Amino acid sequence: MPETLLSTRNLAFELYEVLDAESLTQRPRFAEHSRETFDAALTTARTIAEKYFAPHNRKADENEPRYVDGRAELIPEVKPAVDAFLEAGFLNANRDFEVGGMQLPSLVSQACFAHFQAANAGTTAYPFLTMGAANLIESFGSEEQKRLYLQPMIEGRYFGTMALTEPHAGSSLADIRTRAEPAGDGSYRLRGNKIFISGGDHELSENIVHMVLAKLPDAPPGVKGISLFIVPKYLVGPDGSRGSRNDVVLAGLFHKMGWRGTTSTALNFGDNGQCVGYLVGQPHQGLACMFQMMNEARIGVGMGAVMLGYAGYLYSLDYARQRPQGRSAENKDPQTPAIPIIEHTDVKRMLLAQKAYVEGAFDLGLYAARLFDDTHTAPDEDTRQQAQALLDLLTPIVKSWPSAYCLKANELAIQILGGHGYTREYPVEQYYRDNRLNPIHEGTEGIQSLDLLGRKLAQNGGAGLKHLMRLIAVTGERASHHPNLDPLRQPLEQLVNRLQGVTLALLGDLAQGKVAGALANSALYLKVFGHCVIGWRWLEQAIHAELGLLQRAAADRDFYLGKLQAARYFLTCEIPGCHADLALLEARDDTSLNMQQEWF
Amino acid sequence: MPETLLSTRNLAFELYEVLDAESLTQRPRFAEHSRETFDAALTTARTIAEKYFAPHNRKADENEPRYVDGRAELIPEVKPAVDAFLEAGFLNANRDFEVGGMQLPSLVSQACFAHFQAANAGTTAYPFLTMGAANLIESFGSEEQKRLYLQPMIEGRYFGTMALTEPHAGSSLADIRTRAEPAGDGSYRLRGNKIFISGGDHELSENIVHMVLAKLPDAPPGVKGISLFIVPKYLVGPDGSRGSRNDVVLAGLFHKMGWRGTTSTALNFGDNGQCVGYLVGQPHQGLACMFQMMNEARIGVGMGAVMLGYAGYLYSLDYARQRPQGRSAENKDPQTPAIPIIEHTDVKRMLLAQKAYVEGAFDLGLYAARLFDDTHTAPDEDTRQQAQALLDLLTPIVKSWPSAYCLKANELAIQILGGHGYTREYPVEQYYRDNRLNPIHEGTEGIQSLDLLGRKLAQNGGAGLKHLMRLIAVTGERASHHPNLDPLRQPLEQLVNRLQGVTLALLGDLAQGKVAGALANSALYLKVFGHCVIGWRWLEQAIHAELGLLQRAAADRDFYLGKLQAARYFLTCEIPGCHADLALLEARDDTSLNMQQEWF
C-alpha cells in the first residue's frame, strides 16, 4: 500500500543518517530515549494521523465551520481527532517527564507533528495554536498565570489562540488600536477588534485562552508600545474554576479559499466594556514575547507547507504509477499498450521537481528543529549560541521557502493528474488551496524577505551568517571526497560565493543608510538565499546517499539513487537560474523602486 | 470608478496604436466598419459583461450546477446573461452580414469577447463552446447538417459541445473507444463514454449539439482512425423540428476546484443502443477537423487565462491604492500616517509583474487574432500564408504562456490582498481557482510543449519560425532608433540569438531520430520560446509607447511611462533568467530522462 503522509524510509534517512537523531540520546535531557522510543512515538503519530485526521480532511473542507448563535460549529470528527492527539501526549511532546511530557527532542516531535500536518492541516491547527500559546505563558507568564492557564492547556482542557491582526493594520502591528486600561485590581479591561484569529471559537475545549496584543494608556507609539495579555473566553476563578463568559464576542467567520477546517474568526473584545485581560510579561514588551512564539510558529508553518507538498507529491506519484496513458515519444504504434504516465519524461520532471522541493524543505525543517534542540541541550555554550544565531537567521527561510516551493509542488501534483487533479474527487486540489495560505500568514513572503535582509543577516554581529557559510564550506569539502558529487557541488559553490559578495554589498548599503535601494529587491534576495540553503541541504543529503550506497544493503539502492537524482535536479537544473537574480541584486536594479503609482 | 474587466485605455492602445485595427477597414470584408463601429461593439460588450455577467460570477461559484433528475440545473442568472450575449449578436461577431453576423475582424471580436471572459469565465464558456461547434459544422458539415444544426446554433437556439476525452485515455485521443456503427440509413449508432464535457447538459437552449470523436468499424488504429460526429441531445426532424431525446445520458457532474459555473459532465452515449449520430466530413478525418476547432479554442483559452489575470491585476491594483498600511522602509516614525500599500516597493514589484504578464499576454492574444484576420483577408496570398504559418507556430504559446503566467499573476494578486485575498469575501481567490484549469484543458502544458518542439517548428518547412525571427529582427531594428530602448532591446536579442541556435540543434537531433533526448526538456523550451515571444511583443509595445510620448497628449504621459516600465521589467528582470534554461537545453540535460521510476 502506498504511503500517503510521508515516506517512512525518507524520514528514517533524515533522522538516523543525515541528522543523527540517536546522538541526541547522549545528552542528559534525552538520556532515557533511544531510537526505539523515537520510532514508537513516530508510529503512534502516523497511526493517529491516518486513523483520526486524514479521514475527515475532505469533509472538513466541504463543511467549513458555521456561525450558529454566536458560536462556531465544527463537524463532529474534529474533536475525537484532537482528543486522540492529546491522549497520546503530542501536545506536550517536548515538555519534561515530570509535568507529564514526553521530553522528546524537537527533531523527533516535529517529525511526529508532520504526520498530522500532512493528514489534515485544518484540524492540526487547533493543537498547534494551543502549543504556541502555552509556550508563551510558560516563558513569560507569572506563576499564577501558569497555574490558572498553562496547566489546563498542558492537560488539554484549555486551548489557545494568537490575537494579533486588526482590520485596519494587517501586518503593521505598530498600528494596532486595541487598548488595555488598568482596572485597579491588577487586571485590565481590553477594547478592540481582531481579525483572522484562527481557532478563535470552537467547543473543542473547556476554555480558550486568547493571547492578545494591545496597548496600555501610557504606551509609546509604534511597536515599542505593544503589550501582551491573556484574555480567556471564560473567566477563571482563583481556584481554577471556570466562571462566566468574558466580554469577547465572535463577530463573524471568514470564508477561506482553503484550510477551511480551521475557524478564522473576527473577535470583538470589550464591546460592553467588560473584557478582562491579564498582562503577560513586562508592559510594552509584548512584541518581543510574541516574537518568540512567532519564530516557533514560523518553523511550524514552514513544516506545514512542506507536508501539504509532501502529501500531494506522494499522491501524484502513486497516480502516475497506476495511470496508463499514451506511449513513449519514440513509439508511434497505437497498437502497443499504453504505458504508465510515470514513464513520460515530462511527468518524471514534474515528480522530480516535487521531490526536490518537498524533500529538500523537509530536511531543512527537521534541521531547524535539531538546531532548536542544540540551542538548549548542546553540551557547550558556544554551540548553543551558534545554533541560536543560525536558527534566527534561517527562520525566514524555513517559513518562506516551503510556502513558495511546496505550493509549486502542489501545482505540479494537480498537473500530473490533469483534469482529474482539477476536480474535488481527488485530494490534490485541496492541498493546493490549503497551501496557498502559507505564504500569507505568520508573516507574508514580503515580511520574511525584509526580516532576512534588513534584520537577521546583521543580527548577532553576523554570527549566524558566518556560521552558515562555514557549514556550507564544510559540506562542500566533504562532498569533494566523492568525485560523483563534483557536478553537484560546483554550482552550489559558485552561487554561494556570489551570494556572499552581494550580501556584503547590500549590508554596506544598509549601513550607509541607502535603505530603500538595498531592500528594493528583497524578494529576489530571499529566493536566492533560500535556494542556497536548500541546495546546501541537498548536497548534504547527497553525501549521505553516497555513503548509504557504499555501506548499506542493496535493498536501499533505489532509494539512494533517487536521492542523488533529486539532488542533481535541484543543484544542476534549478540552482543556476539564481544567477540572473543575483545580477539584478548586484546592479541594484531599481525597476520596481522607480515605478510610480500613477503609471499603473 | 476603477475599471474591473480590462483597461479601456490599454485596449485602445493595442487596437489603434500597436495593432492598427483601423487599417483593416481598408479590406473589402471590413469596408463597412470604422473605428466608431469597432468602439460601439466594444462598448456594448463591456456594458453587457458588467451588467449581466459579472454580477453572478461569485454566485455561480458558490452554487455550482446540480444533478437533478438526470439533468444539470444552473442558477437562474446564467440564461439572461447568455441571452443578452446572443441578442447583441456576439455569437456571430465574425460571421457575414448576410447571415445576420457583425462581420467584425477577429481582432475586434476577440477584444469584445475578452470582456465576458474577465467578467465570468463560467458563463462565458457556454457561448464559447457553441461558437467552436458551429465553426466545425460550418467548415466540414454537409449542407443538410448546416441547415439542421448550424443554422439554429447561429440563431442561438441550439448550443454546442466538444466531446473528446474518455475516462481511460485522457489526452491520448489515439486510444478512444467510442464506436460508431453505420445504421444503414446514412446515420450511425454511437456507443461510448466521455468525461469532462463542458456544457454537456443545461437548459439554456432548445437543443445541444455534441461534436463527438468516435471510431468507425473499419477504422485504422490510432489517431488516423478517428471520425467526427454530430450527436444532438434531441433528435431533429428533416424539417428542423425538435424530436425525442437521443440516447445520450448525463451520467454525472464533475465538481471542480474552480470554473464552477460551467457544467463539466460525464456523458454516456448509446447505453440503450439508440444513440444516433451523423458523420461530419470524411471518415477517419475527425482529428484533423477537430484540430481546426482546437486551434481556435486554444487561442480562446489563452485569452481566457489572460482575462482572469487581468481582472485580478485590476482588482489588486485598486486595492493597493486604497489600502493604507505601514510606512516606507526609511520611515521609522510610527506617528506618521500609514501609506497606501502601492507605495511599498515589494507591492509595486508584484503589480509590475502582473502588468507585465497580463498586458504582454493580452497583446499576444490580440496579435494572434489579427494574424487570424490576415489568414483570410490579407490582400495577397503570400501574406495570408505567412500569417497562417506564424499563427500555427504561435498557437501553443498563445495557449500555454498565459495559462502559466497569468495564473502566476493571480497568485500575486492574492498576495497583495494578504489575508483578505485568501478569503472568498474578495474576488481574487476565485480568479486563481478558475485560472488553474487553463494549463490543463484544450491540451496540457506538456502537450503544448511537444506540439511546439515536435511539430510546429518544422511545419511548413519552418516558414513560421523564419517569419517570426524576421519580425523580431525588424522590431529590434526599429527599437534601435530609440536610444532609450537599448537596454530593453539587447537582452531580447541575446536570448533570441541563443534560442535560434538551440532550436536548430534540437531540430537536428529530431531529424536524426534522437527523439527522446531532444524532447526531454520540452517544458523548458516552451517557457523560453514563450518568453522570447512575449519579450518581442513588449519591445513592440515599448516602441509604440515611445512614439506616443513624442506624438500624443500630455494626458497620456503616465500611461506610456507605465508601458515603458513594464517593458523594462519584463525584458531586463525576467528575460535574462531564461539563459539558465537554454544552457540546460544546450547541454541536452538528461536528469528527468534518466530518472528511473523505481528511484522515486
Side-chain angles (χ1 to χ4, degrees), chain A residues 64 255-256 424 568 590, chain B residues 64 256 424 568 590:
Chain A
E64 62 187 338
H255 301 94
K256 304 193 291 295
R424 308 202 298 280
R568 180 179 156 194
D590 58 6
Chain B
E64 62 188 338
K256 304 193 292 295
R424 308 202 299 280
R568 181 179 155 192
D590 59 6

Side-chain angles (χ1 to χ4, degrees), chain B residues 444-500:
Chain B
T444 63
E445 299 290 281
I447 283 177
Q448 302 302 325
S449 74
L450 295 176
D451 182 42
L452 175 66
L453 185 52
R455 183 163 33 199
K456 292 292 175 63
L457 285 175
Q459 217 174 39
N460 307 313
L465 182 64
K466 280 176 213 152
H467 188 44
L468 175 64
M469 291 302 149
R470 228 170 9 239
L471 290 173
I472 294 178
V474 168
T475 301
E477 203 279 323
R478 281 166 47 230
S480 70
H481 300 298
H482 302 270
N484 284 340
L485 299 184
D486 268 347
L488 278 56
R489 181 176 58 80
Q490 285 163 4
L492 180 67
E493 283 181 2
Q494 284 164 17
L495 189 69
V496 170
N497 287 341
R498 197 168 170 188
L499 175 68
Q500 285 186 282

Side-chain angles (χ1 to χ4, degrees), chain B residues 1-218:
Chain B
M1 214 177 83
E3 294 183 291
T4 56
L5 306 178
L6 53 77
S7 151
T8 49
R9 178 65 189 90
N10 186 42
L11 178 57
F13 173 71
E14 286 296 343
L15 293 181
Y16 304 120
E17 297 172 55
V18 180
L19 298 170
D20 196 10
E22 284 182 273
S23 71
L24 292 170
T25 62
Q26 287 157 25
R27 298 183 182 176
R29 181 167 178 80
F30 308 124
E32 293 186 39
H33 278 294
S34 63
R35 178 162 176 170
E36 285 67 36
T37 63
F38 292 166
D39 284 346
L42 293 163
T43 302
T44 304
R46 193 183 67 227
T47 304
I48 295 174
E50 287 176 349
K51 184 169 174 189
Y52 293 99
F53 281 68
H56 70 280
N57 191 42
R58 175 59 79 179
K59 184 175 175 187
D61 179 67
E62 287 174 349
N63 300 275
E64 62 188 338
R66 294 187 314 136
Y67 180 92
V68 180
D69 297 338
R71 57 195 179 76
E73 205 172 85
L74 313 186
I75 59 169
E77 287 83 352
V78 178
K79 188 160 169 52
V82 172
D83 286 347
F85 179 96
L86 298 172
E87 184 73 20
F90 288 113
L91 193 76
N92 304 302
N94 300 121
R95 285 208 163 70
D96 297 354
F97 291 127
E98 63 184 33
V99 299
M102 297 166 84
Q103 210 163 312
L104 280 171
S106 246
L107 172 57
V108 179
S109 65
Q110 281 284 358
C112 290
F113 200 66
H115 293 82
F116 302 100
Q117 294 177 304
N120 191 323
T123 293
T124 302
Y126 298 102
F128 177 73
L129 291 159
T130 302
M131 289 152 86
N135 291 348
L136 261 181
I137 300 176
E138 187 162 32
S139 296
F140 304 106
S142 66
E143 288 310 309
E144 170 91 346
Q145 289 168 346
K146 288 181 191 172
R147 182 173 64 82
L148 293 179
Y149 301 101
L150 173 61
Q151 187 55 36
M153 289 169 95
I154 289 177
E155 293 165 16
R157 295 190 292 112
Y158 289 10
F159 279 17
T161 77
M162 311 291 154
L164 286 71
T165 306
E166 300 189 6
H168 68 289
S171 304
S172 182
L173 294 174
D175 295 312
I176 61 166
R177 291 181 190 149
T178 298
R179 291 286 177 269
E181 299 274 348
D185 61 354
S187 73
Y188 293 80
R189 294 295 172 273
L190 277 79
R191 193 185 284 269
N193 307 312
K194 299 281 181 179
I195 57 170
F196 301 146
I197 309 310
S198 295
D201 196 58
H202 55 70
E203 300 195 338
L204 300 171
S205 57
E206 291 173 29
N207 204 350
I208 301 176
V209 181
H210 304 292
M211 305 303 297
V212 182
L213 294 185
K215 293 191 171 183
L216 294 168
D218 62 343

Side-chain angles (χ1 to χ4, degrees), chain A residues 4-296:
Chain A
T4 56
L5 306 179
L6 53 78
S7 151
T8 49
R9 177 66 189 89
N10 186 42
L11 178 57
F13 173 72
E14 287 295 343
L15 292 181
Y16 304 120
E17 297 171 58
V18 179
L19 298 170
D20 196 10
E22 284 182 273
S23 70
L24 292 170
T25 62
Q26 287 157 23
R27 298 181 182 177
R29 180 167 180 81
F30 309 123
E32 292 185 39
H33 278 293
S34 63
R35 179 162 177 169
E36 286 67 35
T37 63
F38 293 164
D39 285 345
L42 293 163
T43 302
T44 304
R46 193 183 66 229
T47 305
I48 295 174
E50 287 175 350
K51 185 169 174 190
Y52 292 100
F53 281 68
H56 70 280
N57 191 43
R58 175 59 80 177
K59 183 175 176 186
D61 179 66
E62 287 175 348
N63 300 275
E64 62 187 338
R66 293 187 314 136
Y67 180 92
V68 181
D69 298 337
R71 58 196 179 74
E73 205 173 85
L74 313 185
I75 59 169
E77 286 83 352
V78 178
K79 188 162 168 52
V82 172
D83 286 348
F85 179 96
L86 297 172
E87 185 73 20
F90 287 112
L91 194 74
N92 304 301
N94 301 121
R95 286 207 163 70
D96 297 354
F97 290 128
E98 63 184 33
V99 299
M102 297 166 84
Q103 210 162 313
L104 280 171
S106 244
L107 172 58
V108 179
S109 65
Q110 281 285 358
C112 290
F113 200 66
H115 293 82
F116 302 101
Q117 294 178 303
N120 190 323
T123 294
T124 301
Y126 298 102
F128 176 73
L129 291 160
T130 302
M131 289 152 87
N135 291 349
L136 260 181
I137 300 176
E138 187 162 34
S139 297
F140 304 106
S142 65
E143 287 312 308
E144 171 91 348
Q145 288 168 347
K146 288 181 192 172
R147 182 172 64 79
L148 294 179
Y149 302 100
L150 174 61
Q151 187 55 36
M153 289 170 93
I154 289 176
E155 292 165 17
R157 297 191 292 114
Y158 289 10
F159 278 17
T161 76
M162 311 292 154
L164 287 73
T165 306
E166 300 188 8
H168 67 290
S171 305
S172 181
L173 294 174
D175 295 312
I176 61 165
R177 291 182 190 148
T178 298
R179 290 287 177 270
E181 299 273 348
D185 61 354
S187 73
Y188 292 80
R189 294 295 172 275
L190 277 78
R191 193 185 284 269
N193 307 311
K194 299 279 181 180
I195 56 169
F196 301 147
I197 309 310
S198 295
D201 196 57
H202 55 71
E203 299 193 338
L204 299 171
S205 56
E206 291 172 28
N207 204 349
I208 301 177
V209 182
H210 304 292
M211 306 302 295
V212 182
L213 293 185
K215 293 191 171 183
L216 294 168
D218 62 343
V223 293
K224 289 174 184 157
I226 297 173
S227 302
L228 176 64
F229 297 85
I230 286 173
V231 178
K233 176 179 172 179
Y234 290 96
L235 297 173
V236 178
D239 60 348
S241 61
R242 196 181 86 165
S244 58
R245 271 295 289 265
N246 199 356
D247 182 9
V248 182
V249 172
L250 176 65
L253 301 181
F254 291 94
H255 301 94
K256 304 193 291 295
M257 172 166 72
W259 210 301
R260 294 188 184 181
T262 306
T263 44
S264 181
T265 64
L267 295 179
N268 292 352
F269 294 90
D271 272 0
N272 305 307
Q274 299 297 323
C275 177
V276 179
Y278 306 95
L279 181 68
V280 178
Q282 296 303 306
H284 318 317
Q285 297 300 313
L287 202 63
C289 300
M290 196 58 103
F291 256 107
Q292 177 202 294
M293 181 284 303
M294 276 201 279
N295 282 333
E296 288 174 40

